[in-house]
Amino acid sequence: DFIFLLFCLICKKYTAKILKRDFSPERDVITLDLKGAYNSSNILKLERRMTYDRRNRTVTVRDCALFAKPGAFESPLSTFGVVENGSKPGSFVIVRRVGDAQKRLGFTVDAHGAKWTLKEEKIPNPTRAEPTRWAVVIDKRSVRHEVEFVFSRL
């Protein structure tokens, strides 16, 4: 079907590329090039590195952007849970009800010295539950931005 073929071609153009995979008994690391997902000549580099550390039982998601001209930056995460403030600055808890149980996942945010805010946006999904997009927003324009989320069980 033509529509499906067109969709596949568009998706292939705007897709992430795997730059690096490193799997070991201690940790798994995958680095993605996300630049192709955005139609912008200002983005020189946009990478997301995800690290699963088995020993510390954490997942780290690190976004790194490099722009030709200074720009603002957002680093998003989406969840069906509610994000609450944690006990320390820059720490948060995702709370999600699953049946009668309440699941909790902690995470910290590190914007490597940049001032940031956390923005909430509901993602409309008329036939199912609506996820929420939470974004670390860095308004100060710069040619380089880094944001790191570290997720851990509570």
Side-chain angles (χ1 to χ4, degrees), residues 39-142:
N39 188 16
S40 172
S41 60
N42 193 40
I43 300 173
L44 300 176
K45 174 183 168 182
L46 182 57
E47 293 180 2
R48 173 167 276 190
R49 183 178 68 206
M50 297 167 287
T51 305
Y52 171 49
D53 184 328
R54 287 180 183 80
R55 185 171 36 104
N56 293 317
R57 297 179 51 129
T58 60
V59 173
T60 301
V61 177
R62 182 180 164 270
D63 291 338
C64 182
L66 186 61
F67 298 121
K69 297 179 212 164
F73 184 66
E74 290 189 13
S75 185
L77 68 94
S78 297
T79 179
F80 287 104
V82 175
V83 174
E84 300 175 349
N85 287 321
S87 59
K88 299 176 186 171
S91 71
F92 301 90
V93 178
I94 299 171
V95 180
R96 180 153 188 241
R97 186 158 289 293
V98 179
D100 290 337
Q102 193 177 65
K103 304 291 183 174
R104 300 170 60 83
L105 179 68
F107 73 94
T108 58
V109 174
D110 182 359
H112 297 270
K115 290 182 93 175
W116 57 273
T117 57
L118 195 61
K119 178 174 84 173
E120 175 186 8
E121 176 185 354
K122 282 285 187 191
I123 300 171
N125 192 0
T127 60
R128 297 183 182 203
E130 292 186 342
T132 303
R133 178 185 185 268
W134 293 89
V136 170
V137 179
I138 301 172
D139 288 322
K140 184 176 181 186
R141 302 176 78 71
S142 177

Side-chain angles (χ1 to χ4, degrees), residues 2-15:
F2 175 74
I3 300 296
F4 179 72
L5 179 61
L6 183 61
F7 177 75
C8 289
L9 290 173
I10 290 170
C11 288
K12 189 172 184 178
K13 180 178 179 185
Y14 297 106
T15 188

